[in-house]
């Protein structure tokens, strides 16, 4: 499967079959299936690892090296900690989420051609099965769930430097991944969380569909 001329047609067939057998788009590619396993293989390609190094690695290392204190846990829920601390930690979360998000949004044409081709394939085929689906929203959500999110949680699988992390730094990385996923899903934090989190999501909501449109434009057929 290393040769993309074989891998991508096979993966498209698998994705097409899963679209055929999945009744609700909300569950498509969400469980452990052959397609989601193939995603993992594709994301291990050298092109993906190079992309991650150019767009996410520096921001990841910045977060990983933050001195948050040995016993400090990043907490954004106002029920669990004092409102002032929740707000302070939320601003820290937004600061680093924004940097990672903007690095991704600023590099649509640097996204590996294989990923762009699969996103284009989905944009052409989702509507045939799911008549009322928001294709841009689905593709954006899938990218953050299966592509951008995992590299923040398990960077060692993508050849990104993985220093020894404190619990607080791991917690912040998990929250960044969660917040960016919520942005892609167009969902919101509940009232237990500071308003600034939803303000960040709402301020950047329009950029995800724009990004998806840029990466799913008709591209030259290299495959």
């Amino acid at each position: 499967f290393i040769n993309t001329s074989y891998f991508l047609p096979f993966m498209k067939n698998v994705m097409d079959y899963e679209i055929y057998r999945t009744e609700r788009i909300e569950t498509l590619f969400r469980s452990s299936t052959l397609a989601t396993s193939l995603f993992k293989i594709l994301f291990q390609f050298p092109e993906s690892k190079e992309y991650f190094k150019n767009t996410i690695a520096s921001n990841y290392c910045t977060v990983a090296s933050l001195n948050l204190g040995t016993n400090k846990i990043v907490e954004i829920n106002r029920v669990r900690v004092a409102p002032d601390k929740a707000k302070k930690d939320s601003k820290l979360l937004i600061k680093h989420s924004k940097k990672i998000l903007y690095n991704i949004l600023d590099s649509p044409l640097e996204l590996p051609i294989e990923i762009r081709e699969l996103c284009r394939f989905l944009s052409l085929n989702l509507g045939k099965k799911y008549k009322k689906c928001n294709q841009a929203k689905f593709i954006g959500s899938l990218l953050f769930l299966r592509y951008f999110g995992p590299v923040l949680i398990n960077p060692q699988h993508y050849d990104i430097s993985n220093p020894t992390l404190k619990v607080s730094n791991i917690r912040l990385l998990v929250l960044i991944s969660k917040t960016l996923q919520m942005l892609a899903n167009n969902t919101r934090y509940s009232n237990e969380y500071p308003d600034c989190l939803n303000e960040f999501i709402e301020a950047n909501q329009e950029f995800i569909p724009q990004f998806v449109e840029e990466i799913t434009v008709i591209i030259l057929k290299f495959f």
Side-chain angles (χ1 to χ4, degrees), residues 104-212:
I104 292 172
L105 295 177
D106 288 343
S107 59
L109 299 184
E110 295 176 26
L111 192 70
I113 194 73
E114 296 85 1
I115 306 298
R116 294 178 60 204
E117 172 65 11
L118 290 176
C119 290
R120 188 181 75 89
F121 173 81
L122 286 173
S123 71
L124 295 174
N125 289 277
L126 287 172
K128 298 176 183 178
K129 173 67 179 288
Y130 312 105
K131 302 301 182 182
K132 298 181 180 180
C133 75
N134 184 330
Q135 297 181 31
K137 176 183 175 183
F138 177 86
I139 294 171
S141 176
L142 181 66
L143 280 173
F144 278 88
L145 176 67
R146 298 295 181 186
Y147 197 62
F148 300 124
V151 72
L152 293 173
I153 309 302
N154 297 298
Q156 67 274 12
H157 298 319
Y158 304 91
D159 291 351
I160 291 179
S161 175
N162 186 29
T164 301
L165 297 177
K166 297 183 176 66
V167 173
S168 53
N169 299 77
I170 295 173
R171 168 73 169 161
L172 180 55
L173 287 165
V174 169
L175 287 173
I176 290 172
S177 179
K178 175 184 177 180
T179 301
L180 294 180
Q181 186 65 57
M182 292 179 69
L183 171 62
N185 292 346
N186 193 15
T187 55
R188 301 291 186 272
Y189 280 96
S190 70
N191 293 333
E192 296 178 354
Y193 298 86
D195 295 339
C196 58
L197 291 168
N198 287 335
E199 291 170 0
F200 165 73
I201 291 175
E202 290 163 5
N204 293 281
Q205 194 66 63
E206 64 182 290
F207 299 135
I208 301 298
Q210 292 174 6
F211 177 76
V212 171

Side-chain angles (χ1 to χ4, degrees), residues 73-90:
I73 298 297
V74 176
E75 182 54 72
I76 58 176
N77 189 314
R78 290 183 292 197
V79 175
R80 297 174 182 169
V81 295
D84 287 347
K85 174 174 168 51
K87 187 173 183 178
K88 180 180 178 181
D89 285 358
S90 294

